[in-house]
Amino acid sequence: MIDLKILTWEVVMDRTSLQILRAVWKKPLDVWELVIMQDNDIKNTYETLNSLKDKGLIEYSKNKIKITEKGIDELIKENAIPYIDTKCEYCRGKIYDPKNFKEILDVFKEIFANRPMETTEFDQGVVSEENSVRRLEFVYERGDLEGREIFFLGDDDLTSIVFALSKMPKRVVVFDVDRRIIEYIKEVSKKYNLNIEAYEYNASNKLDEKFVNKFDTFLTDPVETVKGMRLFLSRCVQSLKGKGAAGYFGLSHFESSLKKWYEIERDLLEMNLVITDMLRDFNEYLLVGERILHEGYYVVEKSPVEVLPPTISWYRSTFIRVELIDTAKPKIVESVSWDRSLYFDDETYVVRP
Amino acid sequence: MIDLKILTWEVVMDRTSLQILRAVWKKPLDVWELVIMQDNDIKNTYETLNSLKDKGLIEYSKNKIKITEKGIDELIKENAIPYIDTKCEYCRGKIYDPKNFKEILDVFKEIFANRPMETTEFDQGVVSEENSVRRLEFVYERGDLEGREIFFLGDDDLTSIVFALSKMPKRVVVFDVDRRIIEYIKEVSKKYNLNIEAYEYNASNKLDEKFVNKFDTFLTDPVETVKGMRLFLSRCVQSLKGKGAAGYFGLSHFESSLKKWYEIERDLLEMNLVITDMLRDFNEYLLVGERILHEGYYVVEKSPVEVLPPTISWYRSTFIRVELIDTAKPKIVESVSWDRSLYFDDETYVVRP
């Protein structure tokens, strides 16, 4: 195993090693700061860290990962220099500026502050208020908002409220497995006169006929397993009216290897969905604080270096837009009776086992 | 035909009509300003313009498209308002800031100014100097630059020179059908001591064995036909070493309907390439000035409204990153003898017929 890695090494330094080494050459980083500097899944990142340490290219100091002289020598051979951040310094590469919908953002901040707290029971993890407004802006720019009937499958972020606050959609319907979320959305909808329809729904169940082929746009943030993705995207695509209808969902490279991405992309095409946009790190989740250490997440349990509570919103996902080029062809239509494997595979490092 | 459109209309206003109407509600626009406000191909955009005019929702005034009172009424029914630009006002949504590689940008500006001018014979269209540096930054961030052997198929933009100026790649090799480009790259390479290898090569020909499975990263900007894309991407993927090697290419929605995108995405998966990034409008081409009117481009010939020379870099493409999840499986390996249909189909509105 080690021999094989050394062999690969002599051909070309793998991308993950390069991304890690140049990042810690700039300055020592903890695991949360480090994972956002590289493109691999966390499982593979941890394996790479172990391999780099075995080779003497990095060392650990309490919760920090540092480069060694030998590590610097290896980087120099690759013509590398300490990592340069080339992103726009204003939007940090996030493309959209939430201040363009400032009134909505201000109202939503209050609503969001009083939300029911996330629970690991349903693999919840929410994005910030600004992030939800950026989603609105991206969907707006694409023309998938005004006059549209919009289907949300899972909405612990409460992004549906942001959409309804814009007063642009014709209809906003939310389905979530968590009764607390549904109750809260109903309460907010009543208070702000938003007309959101909210239903308690488990994606394992067949989608009610009255929601089939009724929507122009869907948004969802599925669980990060191939079958979880397939299930969520099937329900979503089934909700769409037909050709030209569009969908948005998050997919993380932290918990999904590119092999998994490949399977998901094949599913999309088979459902008649073409991919039109793929925005890396568009979604940033508020997985911070002491609690993260006590959920049994593999990102903590299997870390090769000491882990302190994260202070940055380190968990990210790529925001993907798809569009129907023809009639929707969901891969799953009937109810399924799946156990917790819906949520969990050997790459899902941020799910309660 | 018209009846069918009106029928669709009553269900929901199509996305292209919405994107056009809300844009011209903000202010009257010429065709160049208008096409960048919507996501459809130009052929379909022109058909939509004709349909909107027939319905009395827009009118033409010299080279400008204006909304009518009836058009505003239709938009109000859709809860729409005049278009709001929600992009970051600093990078205009371009994610990367070319000033982070300022020395390279400054040197490259001089080199670029003296380049051989684009020719329609080979469907050339170049991006700006800043755009080439943004490409460098994106590829750098992904870890596909340092110590890498990089394959360029077609490089009228001279992006290969930007890459070589960074001094980070291990090897830069350029193939182009245009002898003038090859000569110029060689001349610059010698003058600046860049060690770029440049070869005159027509993608119709089989790739020489000595370049097969030799590269870590490819960049290309193929002609916008399905078979053109298939040919270019086949040559490129064949140049890659194997799993983990990556590629970057441009694909425009102006000349490729989503049906075509779908075919191309299916090709990618069949070649064992997974899509990891898709950055809309990342590439902006310098297709400006009087000459654009005299090339026989359908974007001019078939315009429903008077066309004056473009003053903005209106032509854009999505920048797509793909990565090999396994051994490369090019769809085309042998030489092909194709005529001009390689460059031209009924959607390629910015190619000389």
Side-chain angles (χ1 to χ4, degrees), chain B residues 3 5 16 32 34 45 76 78 92 100 104 108 126 145 158 165 170 183 209 224 228 249 265 280 306 323 333 343 350:
Chain B
D3 277 334
K5 289 212 178 211
T16 307
W32 312 112
L34 186 68
T45 307
I76 289 169
E78 301 282 330
R92 313 298 316 139
N100 288 306
I104 292 174
F108 184 58
V126 305
L145 185 69
L158 308 178
L165 283 169
K170 184 171 167 192
E183 294 301 332
E209 197 59 43
E224 293 264 342
F249 67 99
E265 290 177 12
R280 186 183 289 266
E306 187 190 340
E323 182 170 331
V333 172
Y343 293 104
V350 195

Side-chain angles (χ1 to χ4, degrees), chain B residues 201-207 231 235 332-338:
Chain B
Y201 168 68
N202 184 324
S204 297
N205 297 322
K206 191 173 175 175
L207 187 66
L231 183 67
R235 303 303 183 206
I332 298 166
V333 172
E334 298 304 320
S335 296
V336 296
S337 50
W338 289 345

